[in-house]
Amino acid sequence: MTVRRRAGVLLHPTSLPGPEGIGTFGTELTGFLDFLSKAGFSLWQVLPLTPPAAGNSPYSSYSAFGGNHLLIDLQQLVEEGDLSSRALQNHFPQELVDFKQVTPWKEQLLHEAAENFFKQGQTPRLKEFWQFCDTTYWLHDYALFMALKQHYHGTPWHRWPNELAQRNPRALQQAALQLGPEIGARKYQQWQFFRQWQRVRSAAAERGIAIIGDLPIFVAHDSADVWCNQELFLLDTKGKSTVVAGVPPDYFSATGQLWGNPLYNWAAMEQQGYGWWIARFRQLFELFDQIRIDHFRGFEAAWHVPATAKTAARGSWVPGPGAVFFDAVKASLGNLSFIAEDLGVITPEVEALRDRYDLPGMKILQFAFDSDAANPYLPHNHRTNSVVYTGTHDNDTTRGWFNTLSPKIINRMYDYLGLPGTNPVQDLIRVALMSVAGTAIIPLQDLLELPTEARMNQPGVALGNWSWRYQSTQLKPGLADYYADLLRRYGRG
């Protein structure tokens, strides 16, 4: 069977240029899609689009179902009459996302837009809004959760009054009445997020571009998901985690990575037919064409760390649901298009689970040159059913990575590639594109040959991540033509 060789670009929407201090679903995104189309790329990969919580990370969210309201394009709200154009005047820096300034400014304007929207009375848009509310089953719980968090000044849900933490129906009803305007504003934000995203997806499809989404396997403890489904997580009677997620010492950290997420009560989930997960997958495939499952190995076994531990070094692997889970998902939703993030400590059991469902794994070229010929990331060990990257959002940019290499590894890399080594970033991109892997994904930072300062995330570092943005002037004339020629040369599109 002939497999289409595809190529794409990794870029989170927050990294788009624009006047709002953070990337949005506005005209700059359309310009980025035009660049992808002209350059011949047929895939765009994003990070999770859920509302960020701790450290502004898209991998730590207040909801596995909600959308990041900071991505809403305010100009569209002006055009619809929900905001005044004067409200958009600001002087945010263009180089980075200053979350400390942008978040309160944008949330205030979104609340103002919601208030103006509801004042307009009966309109076709109001009918559309109520239809969204009626058909989005998780929406009220999420909006109530966020309203309560604001009411209690950001306090985690397990520290709220007991009747609210334990979801007493009468207490929830009283809270909903008391916090009605804030709940309405949160629902308005979600409505606008999802309608704007559908326009983005349509614009991508018109250009022949499929979108790859990202699913973090774990959710945040302080989230609507855990608050509403406490029986599905390993918690004590007060709602606190008994064990938390992470990974043991690895490439990124000598003490492991202590993520702190609660872990699943898989027995309880199985009793419910994995309904929460099936609903999550169903929604994601309404938003994306393909899904990368972050930390795929957690479905085979997860690293359980005592909740009191200071690092992830002390923990144990505990079996997950494995094939039983994926059989249930497949029976409910049919064959779905996943990418298995199979990096780190991968066992034969994890590989068997991945291959049982014919899921492509990931090959990272920055990991390829620090050992011998058996290194699974070296191009001669790639498989057709895999996705090759120069690096991911957790890696340094390729230019920054190369600048940290020892002469020994540099020599090994160029001995392997058989190249003179005049441009290491372009060399690695070419290797990715000529790989037998069916899909090649290049972070935009590497297409632009940017240094370490453009890195998206440094695992284990709590602050200063996720803020990089590119400037529209960096997509210089001729860049799209250059990559269009390169993709044709290596049979990708």
Side-chain angles (χ1 to χ4, degrees):
M1 181 178 66
T2 301
V3 177
R4 179 184 176 186
R5 286 171 56 79
R6 308 186 77 175
V9 173
L10 171 60
L11 179 79
H12 196 49
T14 57
S15 296
L16 289 159
E20 294 183 18
I22 188 171
T24 72
F25 298 153
T27 56
E28 292 80 8
L29 177 47
T30 304
F32 172 70
L33 293 175
D34 286 339
F35 167 79
L36 293 185
S37 177
K38 184 177 181 182
F41 291 104
S42 61
L43 298 169
W44 170 33
Q45 182 173 329
V46 301
L47 307 182
L49 298 184
T50 45
N56 304 305
S57 169
Y59 292 91
S60 176
S61 176
Y62 289 126
S63 171
F65 293 83
N68 182 358
H69 54 286
L70 298 179
L71 294 172
I72 294 171
D73 174 33
L74 296 180
Q75 182 59 44
Q76 293 182 51
L77 306 190
V78 171
E79 294 169 1
E80 292 179 338
D82 294 348
L83 273 181
S84 165
S85 59
R86 292 190 300 273
L88 302 190
Q89 296 176 3
N90 62 79
H91 301 284
F92 292 117
Q94 298 293 307
E95 293 77 17
L96 298 171
V97 181
D98 187 340
F99 288 100
K100 190 174 181 180
Q101 291 188 55
V102 168
T103 300
W105 172 79
K106 194 154 190 178
E107 287 188 344
Q108 179 182 346
L109 290 182
L110 288 170
H111 277 74
E112 180 182 326
E115 185 178 349
N116 293 335
F117 169 74
F118 290 121
K119 285 179 180 178
Q120 296 171 22
Q122 292 296 327
T123 65
R125 287 200 309 139
L126 184 63
K127 182 178 180 181
E128 179 190 335
F129 168 78
W130 285 120
Q131 183 178 14
F132 173 78
C133 293
D134 291 341
T135 56
T136 308
Y137 80 94
W138 53 264
L139 181 63
H140 181 74
D141 280 330
Y142 167 73
L144 177 58
F145 173 84
M146 296 302 294
L148 284 166
K149 275 199 70 66
Q150 183 184 63
H151 181 73
Y152 290 109
H153 308 290
T155 302
W157 66 262
H158 69 279
R159 295 179 184 168
W160 296 346
N162 188 65
E163 64 271 16
L164 290 172
Q166 297 302 315
R167 296 181 55 81
N168 176 276
R170 179 173 294 181
L172 294 181
Q173 185 177 29
Q174 291 175 344
L177 290 173
Q178 178 186 356
L179 303 173
E182 178 64 21
I183 291 171
R186 296 290 177 173
K187 290 181 178 179
Y188 169 85
Q189 292 172 15
Q190 292 301 303
W191 172 61
Q192 287 288 9
F193 171 91
F194 283 101
R195 69 201 296 257
Q196 288 194 8
W197 176 251
Q198 289 301 340
R199 293 169 189 161
V200 170
R201 191 171 185 196
S202 295
E206 289 170 2
R207 293 161 174 79
I209 297 168
I211 304 177
I212 303 173
D214 198 314
L215 181 144
I217 186 174
F218 300 120
V219 298
H221 179 272
D222 191 22
S223 66
D225 309 291
V226 180
W227 178 55
C228 295
N229 303 280
Q230 295 173 46
E231 73 283 2
L232 300 182
F233 297 86
L234 298 178
L235 310 176
D236 64 19
T237 56
K238 295 183 178 180
K240 296 181 180 180
S241 297
T242 56
V243 287
V244 295
V247 290
D250 62 4
Y251 174 89
F252 291 110
S253 174
T255 59
Q257 298 178 48
L258 185 62
W259 298 333
N261 307 79
L263 287 150
Y264 296 112
N265 183 340
W266 286 115
M269 287 193 156
E270 184 177 13
Q271 289 177 355
Q272 295 186 10
Y274 301 108
W276 181 86
W277 271 103
I278 290 170
R280 190 180 180 192
F281 283 134
R282 180 179 287 114
Q283 173 166 303
L284 285 170
F285 278 100
E286 292 174 356
L287 303 178
F288 306 107
D289 300 285
Q290 191 172 23
I291 304 296
R292 188 191 83 110
I293 300 179
D294 191 59
H295 197 61
F296 171 81
R297 74 145 303 150
F299 287 110
E300 195 282 323
W303 187 248
H304 284 221
V305 183
T308 56
K310 302 299 182 184
T311 75
R314 184 168 61 93
S316 60
W317 291 107
V318 176
V324 174
F325 170 81
F326 284 101
D327 285 345
V329 172
K330 187 175 181 180
S332 180
L333 300 179
N335 291 324
L336 300 177
S337 183
F338 293 127
I339 296 171
E341 187 269 285
D342 53 355
L343 309 176
V345 181
I346 300 301
T347 64
E349 291 79 10
V350 177
E351 294 177 344
L353 182 65
R354 177 198 65 201
D355 294 345
R356 178 187 177 109
Y357 300 96
D358 200 28
L359 305 181
M362 293 174 57
K363 303 296 182 183
I364 312 300
L365 291 177
Q366 287 188 20
F367 297 162
F369 304 102
D370 58 359
S371 59
D372 59 21
N375 187 311
Y377 302 109
L378 283 169
H380 70 265
N381 291 323
H382 292 183
R383 306 193 309 174
T384 302
N385 191 29
S386 61
V387 184
V388 59
Y389 297 76
T390 50
T392 73
H393 65 277
D394 281 334
N395 291 94
D396 199 345
T397 67
T398 293
R399 179 176 161 190
W401 163 79
F402 185 83
N403 288 339
T404 67
L405 296 181
S406 68
K408 179 180 179 181
I409 293 182
I410 291 174
N411 290 334
R412 180 185 296 159
M413 171 179 163
Y414 279 111
D415 284 346
Y416 178 88
L417 299 180
L419 296 171
T422 56
N423 187 326
V425 180
Q426 284 298 317
D427 291 341
L428 216 63
I429 290 174
R430 285 174 179 270
V431 171
L433 296 178
M434 70 174 66
S435 165
V436 297
T439 298
I441 302 290
I442 313 299
L444 185 65
Q445 292 96 317
D446 286 352
L447 293 189
L448 300 177
E449 301 184 40
L450 299 180
T452 294
E453 287 74 17
R455 182 173 185 162
M456 194 63 172
N457 179 50
Q458 186 171 352
V461 176
L463 301 176
N465 294 316
W466 317 110
S467 61
W468 173 75
R469 302 174 74 191
Y470 80 90
Q471 305 304 302
S472 56
T473 55
Q474 290 178 292
L475 297 183
K476 297 178 181 179
L479 189 64
D481 293 334
Y482 170 79
Y483 279 104
D485 179 66
L486 209 58
L487 295 186
R488 283 192 295 268
R489 186 174 305 161
Y490 298 117
R492 293 193 184 272

